[in-house]
Amino acid sequence: MDLILWRHAEAEDAAPLLPDHKRRLTPRGEKHAKHVGVWLRKHLPRKTRILVSPTERTQQTAHALDMTYEIEPKVGVGATASGLLAAADWPNREETVLIIGHQPTLGRVAALLMTGTESDWSVKKGGLWWFSTRMRANVSQNHLRTVIHPELL
């Protein structure tokens, strides 16, 4: 199984009258989401399930991919690493799962998959981490396939 963690691109700062879930991408964020979306379309397997947080900024990031996605509250703001992995059905699902979500959850999932322990790792805005799991000698092994920063595309 492959699991791709994509943090929403740069969003507006919080404002007193703007609820957090309504924050939108900045022009720079839209540009970064588009760059990563183009790269992803070239590399995603045909059968990919896309789960997106219910916030405006994550949905805008998903729109840059121009693919069908599901809004999934279990990957939203305040999600836990274990809840996010359960929503993805990691590591049991046959197909690739792409999650567009938030910090600190994405960083905690990345740390858990790499080290076996949750830790507050940083996934940069618009950044993407792609993991795979495989069985070797009846032992599940996780490995990091790639990390993408939108400014490097």
Side-chain angles (χ1 to χ4, degrees), residues 6 77 88 149:
W6 187 10
V77 174
H149 190 285

Side-chain angles (χ1 to χ4, degrees), residues 69-126:
Y69 62 87
E70 303 168 44
I71 295 174
E72 176 52 70
K74 293 177 185 173
V75 304
V77 174
T80 63
S82 61
L84 187 141
L85 290 172
D89 196 22
W90 173 270
N92 304 313
R93 185 173 281 281
E94 292 290 321
E95 64 193 351
T96 297
V97 175
L98 166 62
I99 294 179
I100 304 174
H102 308 273
Q103 275 296 94
T105 308
L106 295 181
R108 291 176 180 159
V109 170
L112 182 60
L113 295 180
M114 291 295 294
T115 69
T117 304
E118 271 188 55
S119 188
D120 286 329
W121 286 12
S122 177
V123 174
K124 296 294 186 183
K125 292 176 185 171

